[in-house]
Amino acid sequence: MSLTQFGPVYSGRASAVRAGEVILSLVASGLVGMRGWAGVRRLQQPYDRSLQLGLDRLAAQCVQAGSSPPVGVADLVGVWCAERPVDSWPLEFDPDAQVSGERLLIGGEPSEFCQEWAVEARDVVAEVHENALVKHIKDTAAQLGRPELYARWRLFVTEHAVLGPDEFLAAKNAVLDVPQWPTWLEESYGPVTVEASAGGQVAVCGGCGQWIAPRANGRVRCRVWRCVQRHDLPEPTWTEAQGARLLEPELVRFVALPGRPELDLARRLAARGARVVLYPKLDALDLVAFWPGGHSIGVDVKDWHSPYLLARRIKTFPRWGSGDPHAYRRGYLVVPRDRLRANRSYMKILTQRSKALQEQPHIEVVCDDDLVASCPDLGVMGEVICGP
Ligand SMILES: [Zn+2]
């Protein structure tokens, strides 16, 4: 075999790591980007360009490493992504990236590991903002001088994955003084597709509360990481598909699923007597919480599988003057406890890897349980609200 040079020549460990990350991101986003993905058997479908780019670069690395490259997209997807853990690929990774044993496809579906590396190819925040509806609602709420409308919409979609015809009508009529509200709901919920239903019904996961599309074999099992981990996952409930509406898949992934741990934390703080404001100032933070005695906190909840990738996403916490109704005394970045249980190095990697955390030593990184336990408990019920 002639050693033709493909692409740039990487030298030095940092650039080798960077090259490996670029390939992983390209392949992962290619897998996630495959529309109508139905497993490795349906490869004749046109595939994402980034998959081809990833394949080309991976092949070049294999040649450099003297190992056999994947022989085409089918081999890359069906064997490399579905069967081989990423640490067996001839690429170099930072140990903190924790690629050991991770596969990009599990049961023919992009794994959580794959989804986070796919997002790494773009920018997760930009991606949510790119969602025209989310941006439109934010902008309109700002123009109306009613930022709480954005929080209210977000709270609603997080709590409602499937709506029957009557519920949908009631939801559209819930905010009568805002003529845009019914349109927002029309655009957030689509009719039930054939792929999303089974036997005229839609399944809703008993764990995460999201609708579940049945698999090709008719089985209904939630693929959300937290639900897959649970041994006591309640059976799904079933709703009549006729006339029902489903939360758009993009909103499930970028709004409703991340919203669950945020809402869960908000309720636990309220149960200790706090007044909890969700998504203050159009999502500048996930929540701020106030206790009558003067204790106040600002919180961002981050529910990521990879601390290595999360470390790149941490933002600067906003600081509001004491006259501001959202001003808080202490800032926290909260990681759900089950993420830490699943990965003993999580906190260490996150704090060592994040520049934003090093630049903001006053921001504490804690798990949800520890934060709740450190807050006052007045023995009375507080509230969770969407505006100041
Ligand atoms: Zn679930």
Side-chain angles (χ1 to χ4, degrees), residues 162-165 168 189-193 202 239-246:
V162 182
L163 296 171
F168 186 55
Y189 292 87
V192 179
T193 56
V202 178
T239 305
E240 190 64 42
Q242 179 83 37
R245 296 283 188 139
L246 298 184

Side-chain angles (χ1 to χ4, degrees), residues 205-210 212 221-224 226-228 233 257:
C205 176
C208 64
Q210 288 310 316
I212 314 167
R221 218 178 65 198
C222 185
R223 300 177 182 99
V224 169
R226 187 159 284 119
C227 298
V228 172
L233 187 68
L257 283 175

Side-chain angles (χ1 to χ4, degrees), residues 76-301:
L76 174 65
V77 174
V79 178
W80 286 63
C81 299
E83 292 173 10
R84 293 182 58 172
V86 171
D87 54 304
S88 74
W89 297 19
L91 300 175
E92 215 170 314
F93 291 101
D94 190 294
D96 284 353
Q98 299 180 306
V99 301
S100 181
E102 297 279 5
R103 283 184 296 140
L104 290 175
L105 293 174
I106 296 174
E109 296 281 335
S111 62
E112 196 174 43
F113 174 84
C114 178
Q115 299 205 19
E116 288 185 359
W117 275 99
V119 169
E120 174 62 18
R122 285 152 275 169
D123 178 80
V124 69
V125 180
E127 188 149 347
V128 175
H129 285 230
E130 272 167 24
N131 178 305
L133 178 62
V134 175
K135 184 170 182 341
H136 168 76
I137 295 173
K138 253 188 190 177
D139 290 350
T140 311
Q143 278 162 20
L144 294 172
R146 293 185 58 183
E148 84 282 2
L149 288 172
Y150 168 75
R152 195 165 166 185
W153 169 80
R154 203 167 158 149
L155 174 62
F156 185 85
V157 299
T158 299
E159 290 197 296
H160 300 87
V162 182
L163 296 171
D166 295 344
E167 290 170 303
F168 186 55
L169 190 64
K172 285 203 293 184
N173 291 328
V175 188
L176 290 172
D177 62 337
V178 180
Q180 294 90 340
W181 180 269
T183 318
W184 296 350
L185 287 191
E186 285 282 357
E187 292 185 20
S188 306
Y189 292 87
V192 179
T193 56
V194 177
E195 299 78 45
S197 60
Q201 295 200 300
V202 178
V204 176
C205 176
C208 64
Q210 288 310 316
W211 56 271
I212 314 167
R215 297 182 185 207
N217 61 9
R219 280 185 68 197
V220 169
R221 218 178 65 198
C222 185
R223 300 177 182 99
V224 169
W225 174 80
R226 187 159 284 119
C227 298
V228 172
Q229 303 301 306
R230 280 182 65 174
H231 301 295
D232 61 341
L233 187 68
E235 286 295 309
T237 54
W238 294 86
T239 305
E240 190 64 42
Q242 179 83 37
R245 296 283 188 139
L246 298 184
L247 186 59
E248 293 289 351
E250 212 185 3
L251 298 178
V252 170
R253 165 127 179 79
F254 289 114
V255 179
L257 283 175
R260 296 287 293 201
E262 296 159 6
L263 209 50
D264 173 57
L265 178 63
R267 297 214 163 103
R268 290 169 71 191
L269 296 171
R272 295 173 83 98
R275 183 170 60 85
V276 183
V277 183
L278 288 174
Y279 314 116
K281 296 188 198 271
L282 299 168
D283 213 11
L285 282 175
D286 287 334
L287 62 91
V288 282
F290 308 91
W291 279 260
H295 189 79
S296 60
I297 61 175
V299 176
D300 228 10
V301 180

